[in-house]
Amino acid sequence: MINQKNRILQSISKNINRKPANDSIRLGMALPRLLLQWAAENLTSRQYQVWVMCFLENATQTDIAHALGIGTSTVNKHYTTAMRKLRNALRGENV
């Protein structure tokens, strides 16, 4: 399980730092898939829901709070925690 997480994180890091080339469309499709896979494996279900709605669907905190039946401060807390975990993982720190 740890090796799989490390492979995913290495792939994300490699693809983020990669310069656009002829296969930029393929790269553009692979990166969100890798991020989703990492997030699904490393975030709590609520953090994952908030992260997907905010980061991928561009929903506002108010819209997310209404959809999930939680407060906007809770949405902010979950999103901030999710992004901190992702940043730390990309830096090679403990998740």
Side-chain angles (χ1 to χ4, degrees):
M1 183 71 159
I2 292 174
N3 289 334
Q4 181 181 8
K5 288 180 184 179
N6 287 338
R7 276 184 275 140
I8 292 168
L9 292 172
Q10 287 172 352
S11 182
I12 291 170
S13 295
K14 182 174 83 173
N15 287 328
I16 285 175
N17 295 321
R18 188 172 164 191
K19 296 200 188 269
N22 291 337
D23 61 345
S24 62
I25 293 173
R26 194 174 64 209
L27 173 63
M29 294 170 64
L31 190 56
R33 180 180 51 79
L34 291 170
L35 285 171
L36 279 171
Q37 184 178 354
W38 179 89
E41 293 176 359
N42 292 280
L43 301 177
T44 66
S45 61
R46 188 61 75 163
Q47 289 168 353
Y48 180 76
Q49 287 175 317
V50 169
W51 181 78
V52 166
M53 293 176 79
C54 191
F55 188 73
L56 300 178
E57 298 173 5
N58 293 322
T60 66
Q61 287 188 1
T62 304
D63 292 339
I64 296 168
H66 186 281
L68 299 178
I70 59 178
T72 55
S73 61
T74 304
V75 170
N76 187 42
K77 181 185 107 184
H78 287 308
Y79 183 74
T80 302
T81 301
M83 291 305 292
R84 185 179 67 246
K85 286 181 176 182
L86 177 59
R87 274 192 309 274
N88 289 345
L90 289 172
R91 290 178 183 149
E93 300 171 8
N94 289 334
V95 177

